């Protein structure tokens, strides 16, 4: 079993291709990872104040990905790779902000 199958379904019809080679993850996961990396790079150069308001914003950033994924899963509509990528990108930013806030708050509580 390929280890990448544990983190992504890798369906060809939901993945990007370059010169006939499929990306190792689907379009939505590509967006997630791109959003995560973009935010981490941004965060390296600009200080961010992790507040309750930012936690709420991070949750709102995850909503478009959830709506896109669940409406497709339930058969209400068929998404496309461009939409999957952009909702994944927004969700990736929301996820990394959410995780950083939770981790920082947990570390402050424990320490």
């Amino acid at each position: 079993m390929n280890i990448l199958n544990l983190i992504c379904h890798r369906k060809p019809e939901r993945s990007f291709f370059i010169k006939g080679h499929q990306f190792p993850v689907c379009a939505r996961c590509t967006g997630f990872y791109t959003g995560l990396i973009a935010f981490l790079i941004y965060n390296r150069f600009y200080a961010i104040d992790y507040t309750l308001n930012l936690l709420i914003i991070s949750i709102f950033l995850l909503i478009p990905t959830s709506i896109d994924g669940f409406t497709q899963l339930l058969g209400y509509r068929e998404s496309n790779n461009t939409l999957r990528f952009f909702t994944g990108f927004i969700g990736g930013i929301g996820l990394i902000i959410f995780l950083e806030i939770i981790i920082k708050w947990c570390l402050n509580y424990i320490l």
Side-chain angles (χ1 to χ4, degrees):
M1 176 183 211
N2 189 340
I3 191 134
L4 290 176
N5 289 338
L6 298 174
I7 60 171
C8 180
H9 57 70
R10 302 183 65 221
K11 292 181 180 178
E13 66 274 9
R14 296 184 183 173
S15 299
F16 292 123
F17 285 80
I18 291 183
K19 296 185 180 182
H21 297 284
Q22 182 179 346
F23 272 37
V25 292
C26 72
R28 187 171 290 121
C29 290
T30 300
F32 255 99
Y33 297 133
T34 305
L36 288 166
I37 292 167
F39 182 80
L40 290 174
I41 291 169
Y42 176 84
N43 193 21
R44 177 75 173 112
F45 297 105
Y46 299 98
I48 295 173
D49 188 22
Y50 293 100
T51 63
L52 180 60
N53 288 338
L54 190 57
L55 178 67
I56 293 168
I57 290 169
S58 72
I59 293 168
F60 278 113
L61 289 173
L62 290 165
I63 292 173
T65 306
S66 302
I67 291 172
D68 184 41
F70 281 116
T71 56
Q72 181 175 320
L73 177 68
L74 298 173
Y76 294 128
R77 52 180 274 291
E78 185 65 28
S79 188
N80 61 52
N81 285 345
T82 303
L83 183 59
R84 289 183 191 113
F85 176 82
F86 284 113
T87 58
F89 184 85
I90 294 166
I93 292 171
L95 180 63
I96 193 64
I97 293 170
F98 182 85
L99 291 175
E100 284 200 23
I101 291 172
I102 297 302
I103 290 169
K104 286 180 189 297
W105 286 356
C106 288
L107 289 176
N108 285 336
Y109 179 75
I110 292 171
L111 302 177

